[in-house]
Structures are given as C-alpha cells and as structure tokens.
Amino acid sequence: MENIVIISQNRPFLGAQIVHLPLISFLKVKYPKSKIHFFSKSEISKALLPLGSIDHVIIEQSKGHFLEEYRKINADLTINLRKQSLWHFWIVALFSKGKKVGFSSVLTNLFYDQTSDNNVSIYRANNYLSLFDAVIADESRARKKQVCIIPGAGQKHKIWDLDSYLEVAQQIQKNYSDIEVIFLLGEKEADYKHKLTQFTVHINMNLEQLYHCIGQSLLVIANDCGPSHLAHIQAVDMVSLFSNERLDAPSTIDEWYLKRSGAKLIQSDAHKSINTISVNEVLDAVQHLLAKSYQHEFNSRAQFA
C-alpha cells in the first residue's frame, strides 16, 4: 500500500482534528511503508503534521483543486469520512482505482469496497475506526508525577470557574506533595497566569507539545475542550466537566466523550450552569482516580526497584 488518502470530516476545530489521530495511527501501523495524504478544508489540520503520522496535508481550495490533487496521488486506499458530500463520493467512486472505504449509504454500499454505519452515539474516533472494525488502542506508557488542568474551552458556557480549579489544584498539592500540577492555557486564558503563580503554567503549546505533556500525565482535569481528546486517545485518566445548561450534554457526550474506566464524567443539571458543579464533587472524582493511578504507577515500581 503506497498511498493512502483520508478525506477528513469538515469541522474547523482542534478537537475535531485530534479525533482523526487514532485512525491515522491505525493505518500507519497496518501499512507502515505507506504515505498518508490528509485532505481538509481547514488550515488547523496542519497542526497534525508534527506528530509524524501524516505525510501530507492538502488544504482544499475548491472542488476543482480537490479533484486535481486527488488524481495526482493515485491512491491505493481512500477513506472518505464525509458522508454528506456527494461531490467527494463521486470523485472517489469515479477516479479511484484503489480500495474505497466510507460510511454506509445506498451509493457507498454500491460503489465502495468497504463500508460501516455512521454511529454518532459512540466516541467519534471509534466511529472512524469502525470502518476497519477497530477501536482505540490502549497506549501503555510510563507516567510522570504530574496532573494537567485545562481550564479553557471554545464557548463561555463550557468553562468552569478558575477559582474552582484553583481549589482543586491546591488540594491535590496538599494531598500529593510530590505531584506537579500543570495548567495548560490557550491565548484566551493567558490572563489567568497571574492567579497561578504557585503552579507550572504553559501557554499556547503546539499540538505536539500538548500531546506529550498530556500523554505522560497521571491525570487530566478539563472542560469539554479540544485538548481533552489527547487524554482520551492516550488512555490518560481524566475528569471531564460538561455543561448541560443548553440541554445538549447527552448528545455531545455520546460523540465527544470516550466512556472508559479511567474517565469520570461530571455534568451540570439540566438548564444549570457548569458552575453549579461543586468543588467537592470534582475532588471526589480526582481523589478516586488519582489514588488508583498513583498507587498502580509508582507503588508497583517501588516493589521492583
């Protein structure tokens, strides 16, 4: 398999890009000598390049540009994730001589080689992997004595109050004096820094830096935000806070939250602000997950030292 094309789903958000990574990793393991070409309509997709699994990101400038670039590649395998786009369906169906994979429809079932139902009630990354009858692989790796807190989010109603996060961080330091608490901030949260002088703070890390920082953590505590998906896909324990103020939490959680033993979900009640979630409720979840992971990761190491 020399050339693989992924036609990515069309959402210009960091989290929507990150959930492609398990599929990309799966393909790279299955076809290690292949080149992966990632078609996108958003420049944000280029953030995936430093992680090393994608060889080429093509930003689609027009339908004609997509056709021209797609035909140049002469793909041996095309994965079309854009179920709603008839244009992309027909270009792949008519011009690809390689294997064609996509979500089930009347047309794809007739013209593609391999299809699977588009299941929006499961975590989106696993929905993509279902095209190959796979799920996210459990990444086993050594962890550091650190907890990452991500207090930002794309929309204001998704943001738990910084003072509440501070209480949680201070309690972690009190209970685990050897654990480093790290706050990961974006551009919009840069002014939080003056309140976080007792903690390590990173502002505007690139995706590669975020991937490694989160991936080596014992625990992540976060709102519903893009970087939180880096914990899900790397099997890092996580406490996730969701707002149900707009009654959209159940459907959001189905598609954008990976239900697993190492993740604890806390959501506000219907029509209630995320800030009605109490500090004690979050601390109970943190203590449960941190005690388990800390004991497993470091006490077991000490036994064999």
Side-chain angles (χ1 to χ4, degrees):
M1 192 78 57
E2 188 173 335
N3 286 297
I4 297 174
V5 164
I6 298 173
I7 304 172
S8 68
Q9 289 228 337
N10 186 23
R11 289 198 181 187
F13 308 110
L14 181 62
Q17 304 304 312
I18 290 170
V19 293
H20 289 93
L21 289 172
L23 172 62
I24 295 163
S25 297
F26 170 84
L27 293 168
K28 206 64 177 177
V29 170
K30 189 174 178 66
Y31 307 107
K33 295 182 179 180
S34 66
K35 289 185 177 180
I36 296 179
H37 308 265
F38 192 84
F39 279 84
S40 172
K41 290 190 175 182
S42 175
E43 290 284 337
I44 197 171
S45 297
K46 291 181 179 178
L48 301 177
L49 279 169
L51 295 174
S53 294
I54 296 176
D55 298 278
H56 191 199
V57 171
I58 303 99
I59 305 301
E60 300 168 53
Q61 299 168 11
S62 65
K63 289 181 177 179
H65 178 251
F66 170 81
L67 173 59
E68 179 184 357
E69 294 298 318
Y70 180 70
R71 294 188 70 181
K72 279 183 192 175
I73 294 168
N74 192 25
D76 300 289
L77 168 63
T78 299
I79 301 105
N80 182 7
L81 300 178
R82 292 191 206 158
K83 183 181 178 182
Q84 303 302 322
S85 174
L86 280 173
W87 168 262
H88 291 86
F89 161 76
W90 281 115
I91 294 303
V92 174
L94 294 174
F95 293 101
S96 174
K97 295 180 180 178
K99 185 175 182 180
K100 296 171 278 291
V101 177
F103 290 117
S104 296
S105 70
V106 172
L107 289 172
T108 54
N109 291 343
L110 284 172
F111 289 93
Y112 281 20
D113 301 288
Q114 187 171 312
T115 62
S116 175
D117 289 339
N118 182 32
N119 186 355
V120 297
S121 66
I122 64 172
Y123 187 52
R124 184 170 280 233
N126 274 336
N127 189 29
Y128 297 162
L129 284 167
S130 71
L131 291 165
F132 295 90
D133 198 24
V135 294
I136 293 173
D138 187 2
E139 292 196 22
S140 179
R141 66 172 67 188
R143 310 290 184 188
K144 289 186 177 181
K145 293 180 180 179
Q146 68 180 41
V147 170
C148 284
I149 294 178
I150 312 173
Q155 296 172 286
K156 189 174 181 180
H157 76 282
K158 295 183 176 184
I159 298 176
W160 202 46
D161 190 75
L162 179 63
D163 289 336
S164 298
Y165 274 117
L166 271 171
E167 285 189 56
V168 171
Q170 289 161 351
Q171 194 62 45
I172 292 171
Q173 284 198 328
K174 180 179 177 182
N175 293 345
Y176 297 91
S177 60
D178 57 343
I179 285 182
E180 180 183 17
V181 177
I182 299 172
F183 278 81
L184 302 178
L185 309 180
E187 187 72 41
K188 291 194 302 183
E189 300 84 44
D191 61 350
Y192 288 1
K193 189 174 181 179
H194 74 279
K195 283 191 172 185
L196 304 173
T197 53
Q198 69 192 97
F199 304 104
T200 301
V201 177
H202 296 302
I203 301 175
N204 282 341
M205 278 184 155
N206 64 35
L207 188 59
E208 183 181 19
Q209 292 167 327
L210 285 170
Y211 184 92
H212 293 297
C213 184
I214 289 171
Q216 63 192 8
S217 298
L218 281 174
L219 178 69
V220 169
I221 310 165
N223 303 315
D224 173 24
C225 63
S228 68
H229 295 284
L230 294 172
H232 280 311
I233 68 175
Q234 295 182 91
V236 177
D237 285 358
M238 179 164 62
V239 177
S240 297
L241 281 63
F242 279 81
S243 168
N244 199 23
E245 186 174 359
R246 301 181 181 182
L247 303 182
D248 57 353
S251 59
T252 300
I253 288 164
D254 281 346
E255 194 172 5
W256 297 97
Y257 174 83
L258 179 59
K259 299 174 179 71
R260 53 194 174 94
S261 61
K264 173 66 176 175
L265 169 69
I266 304 174
Q267 72 177 64
S268 64
D269 292 334
H271 298 295
K272 299 294 185 181
S273 163
I274 193 172
N275 287 307
T276 60
I277 296 172
S278 72
V279 169
N280 284 338
E281 191 175 4
V282 175
L283 281 172
D284 286 346
V286 167
Q287 178 62 23
H288 172 75
L289 289 174
L290 199 52
K292 174 180 65 68
S293 61
Y294 187 92
Q295 182 178 21
H296 177 267
E297 186 72 25
F298 296 106
N299 290 359
S300 60
R301 282 194 209 174
Q303 292 174 14
F304 295 99

